[in-house]
Amino acid sequence: MAVDRREFLKLAAAGALAPSLPDTPSARARLDRVLKQRGVPWSFKIVARISPGVPESFTLAGDRNSLRATGGDARGLSYALYEIADRVERASDPM
């Protein structure tokens, strides 16, 4: 599911990504807030998905134009979103 940042946030707000996990909405909200604060352009693509695997695990991969966040379960996806937010927040150049 490749979507641009704006579409990702629309899907996230609608609960399309891991709707059953209470942590996920706050992770999405934090990521959105940090991306806006740091001026990450709307054209930056975030691909977020759950791929059944080790519970609470996640992987991140990408380049300067896109990022893939994969969680082993819904909680793992939440952890991935929090990790992205932390990295963007602390980076000298978030891009």
Side-chain angles (χ1 to χ4, degrees):
M1 175 169 119
V3 294
D4 65 27
R5 182 172 158 215
R6 184 180 306 267
E7 186 63 24
F8 169 79
L9 295 171
K10 285 181 190 175
L11 289 171
L17 299 174
S20 64
L21 183 67
D23 294 350
T24 305
S26 61
R28 291 188 301 244
R30 179 158 186 269
L31 177 58
D32 180 37
R33 186 173 56 254
V34 169
L35 292 173
K36 285 179 185 176
Q37 288 172 347
R38 296 303 310 261
V40 175
W42 283 103
S43 61
F44 187 80
K45 293 188 184 318
I46 299 173
V47 179
R49 68 186 185 110
I50 295 173
S51 179
V54 178
E56 300 187 9
S57 67
F58 69 88
T59 59
L60 301 175
D63 55 35
R64 292 188 61 81
N65 299 313
S66 66
L67 180 65
R68 290 180 310 281
T70 304
D73 61 4
R75 188 171 303 276
L77 181 57
S78 292
Y79 292 156
L81 299 179
Y82 278 123
E83 179 67 22
I84 295 166
D86 286 346
R87 290 183 187 193
V88 170
E89 192 171 51
R90 289 174 172 75
S92 59
D93 176 12
M95 293 304 294

